[in-house]
Amino acid sequence: LPLTLEYGAAVAYTSLGYFVSDPSRGKVHRFNEIPDNVTSAFSFAGTITKGNNFGRTIVKNKDILIVSQPDPFGDLSQIFVCPGVL
């Protein structure tokens, strides 16, 4: 994955793997703890892409994962709720 200065701005771990954000690109990547080769302890599992700033903050409790997408002007800020994530 090409990295930006904000890659890893927010990170969360669930039973589905690690979620790592890159808000400058509006992406949250998921990685599993299954090696994909001899040099990496993780394998890439997918990307969720939304608008700019998506993934600025990731918070998690026992049952849900919440990902923010703040709007710098405050008018169109959003949160995304992922229920059932353990």
Side-chain angles (χ1 to χ4, degrees):
L1 298 171
L3 303 179
T4 68
L5 291 175
E6 293 188 314
Y7 181 82
V11 177
Y13 175 77
T14 74
S15 61
L16 297 175
Y18 288 91
F19 292 83
V20 180
S21 74
D22 190 349
S24 62
R25 292 196 173 170
K27 297 177 185 267
V28 173
H29 306 286
R30 185 168 67 92
F31 297 89
N32 292 324
E33 289 186 273
I34 301 168
D36 61 355
N37 59 44
V38 294
T39 62
S40 176
F42 302 95
S43 63
F44 177 73
T47 298
I48 304 167
T49 302
K50 298 288 183 185
N52 190 36
N53 278 327
F54 176 67
R56 177 67 55 198
T57 305
I58 301 174
V59 293
K60 172 192 156 313
N61 76 2
K62 188 169 136 183
D63 299 325
I64 61 173
L65 186 76
I66 298 174
V67 181
S68 72
Q69 182 178 348
D71 176 32
F73 304 106
D75 297 339
L76 301 172
S77 296
Q78 299 180 54
I79 60 168
F80 298 85
V81 179
C82 307
V85 177
L86 303 174

